[in-house]
Amino acid sequence: QVWALFINTDFGSSGASLDHGRREAVVRGVRAQLPRTQALGFVKIRPLSTAKEALSAYSLDAGGPPVLKVLLNEADAEGMQAIGADLRAGRAAHTSLRAMELVLDAQDAQRLVQAPGKNDVLGMNLYDELSMPWRIVGIVDRIPYGPDPDKEAPVGYVTLGDSPMIANLVLRGPNTAEQAADLAETGVRVDGGRVRFGEPANLAEKAEEALAQYRSRALLGLIAAAITIIISALTILSIVTLEVRRRRRMLAVRASLGEGPLATAWHGARGVLIAILLGTILGMLAMWLAGPSLASRGMLKPADFAWAMPVCSALLMALACVGAAAILLREFFAKPLAQHLREE
């Protein structure tokens, strides 16, 4: 089990903060209450939190265009181990004013490797919006921070500051909900003051809740897409039926004069098919123009344009062609030409 508890500090009127020494005292106090805890540390941003955090932009050169937008989290080494951000390569960051070091998750590293001329991210310098250099010293496993991993920003980690304004205590181990609740209620005494905790959050349960919400939205989207396709199919079939019935006398005359079945079918449905083709092209153009804006708001991913739009367009045209063929067979070719010629 992985539990996260927001830290409320209360040191009376001394105005003391939860510095490194007091954090060590908190760890000792928590381990005394929960001796079976396997990993215990501190992070600023709790994974799977509903709070919206700002992203930090980094470029490859000072003052250059940003190549990476990162959710920057502050954590100590034990906190990263507790949340599951295990080190893959390099070492943990020891961030200070003299050594501005940064640890990236695997998604960050993969994006940077794809940059021209970059084969290894370890030791690379990234520049923030103030053109300050940050050296990449490690790569860690990627862990989920939200319900949709595809739309999440990559995550970077720096050392937790000496006097953090916000911090979360993270516990990994076979601790029960009752034990976590007792810890949150009693807190830990440190230097004559008391460190209190907010309501404990089980990260596994939070992940399940986030996944359930994601599945619900995906199911609603699938139902809406299915309804849209059904309505589109019925509309196409209705329009083709009306067009064939309106022109079947003319089609019968052309067939009587020796025109082939394929040419007759084309003359019967070309108006509808051309209109559908033009509508599809205009729809793809509108989506292509709106794509960057929608992607920046997280409404869709840029990769969607690589396959989703062509596939949808091809499906729509195939539906139109099959529907037109079926209507022509039923309304025209299945009946004698003389019957069509006699109809007014």
Side-chain angles (χ1 to χ4, degrees):
Q1 299 286 345
V2 180
W3 296 93
L5 299 92
F6 182 77
I7 300 177
N8 298 313
T9 57
D10 180 12
F11 295 102
S13 60
S14 63
S17 61
L18 192 65
D19 58 15
H20 181 72
R22 293 187 177 89
R23 292 202 298 268
E24 289 185 342
V26 170
V27 170
R28 290 193 297 269
V30 172
R31 287 195 179 278
Q33 295 187 43
L34 302 175
R36 300 171 63 190
T37 300
Q38 299 167 351
L40 170 62
F42 300 86
V43 299
K44 179 180 178 181
I45 301 174
R46 193 203 80 193
L48 300 166
S49 171
T50 56
K52 298 294 183 181
E53 302 290 343
L55 302 182
S56 301
Y58 293 91
S59 58
L60 296 177
D61 302 297
V67 297
L68 196 65
K69 289 188 176 181
V70 176
L71 174 64
L72 196 61
N73 198 357
E74 297 181 24
D76 58 16
E78 294 78 10
M80 294 177 64
Q81 180 183 359
I83 62 177
D86 297 324
L87 195 65
R88 283 192 180 186
R91 60 174 176 82
H94 302 293
T95 309
S96 66
L97 292 177
R98 291 178 295 177
M100 301 175 70
E101 297 180 345
L102 181 67
V103 172
L104 300 180
D105 70 10
Q107 180 175 330
D108 288 332
Q110 183 63 32
R111 291 186 180 184
L112 288 179
V113 166
Q114 295 173 355
K118 304 298 181 182
N119 297 320
D120 188 5
V121 300
L122 291 178
M124 180 191 303
N125 279 336
L126 293 177
Y127 295 86
D128 61 18
E129 295 172 318
L130 299 177
S131 297
M132 301 294 291
W134 291 80
R135 181 172 295 275
I136 303 171
V137 298
I139 301 172
V140 296
D141 289 332
R142 177 165 177 77
I143 62 171
Y145 273 74
D148 186 355
D150 290 335
K151 293 183 179 179
E152 287 180 33
V155 182
Y157 298 90
V158 297
T159 307
L160 187 67
D162 193 49
S163 300
M165 300 296 294
I166 299 173
N168 292 272
L169 179 70
V170 185
L171 317 172
R172 178 181 290 271
N175 301 311
T176 65
E178 291 77 11
Q179 291 173 320
D182 289 342
L183 174 63
E185 182 178 354
T186 59
V188 178
R189 294 195 63 84
V190 176
D191 292 347
R194 182 171 295 275
V195 175
R196 302 183 184 277
F197 305 102
E199 182 180 356
N202 188 317
L203 295 191
E205 293 179 358
K206 293 294 182 181
E208 286 297 327
E209 291 174 4
L211 185 59
Q213 294 175 4
Y214 175 68
R215 287 172 176 168
S216 298
R217 291 195 300 268
L219 180 60
L220 289 176
L222 182 62
I223 293 174
I227 293 174
T228 302
I229 291 176
I230 292 173
I231 293 175
S232 299
L234 294 176
T235 303
I236 290 172
L237 294 178
S238 299
I239 293 174
V240 173
T241 300
L242 291 174
E243 183 71 8
V244 171
R245 288 179 178 177
R246 185 178 68 86
R247 306 186 64 187
R248 58 186 171 186
R249 182 179 177 85
M250 181 270 292
L251 297 177
V253 171
R254 301 180 71 96
S256 300
L257 296 175
E259 187 177 61
L262 290 179
T264 302
W266 169 246
H267 282 98
R270 66 180 180 182
V272 176
L273 295 179
I274 291 174
I276 293 173
L277 177 62
L278 291 177
T280 302
I281 293 174
L282 291 176
M284 290 183 63
L285 179 62
M287 286 295 295
W288 181 77
L289 292 175
S293 175
L294 296 176
S296 65
R297 299 178 184 178
M299 298 177 67
L300 49 78
K301 305 185 295 295
D304 292 339
F305 297 103
W307 65 272
M309 291 302 297
V311 167
C312 291
S313 301
L315 178 63
L316 183 60
M317 288 305 302
L319 180 63
C321 292
V322 171
I327 295 300
L328 283 165
L329 286 174
R330 189 189 69 180
E331 295 290 334
F332 183 77
F333 292 107
K335 299 178 181 179
L337 291 178
Q339 179 178 341
H340 298 306
L341 292 172
R342 285 196 302 267
E343 292 179 352
E344 294 294 337

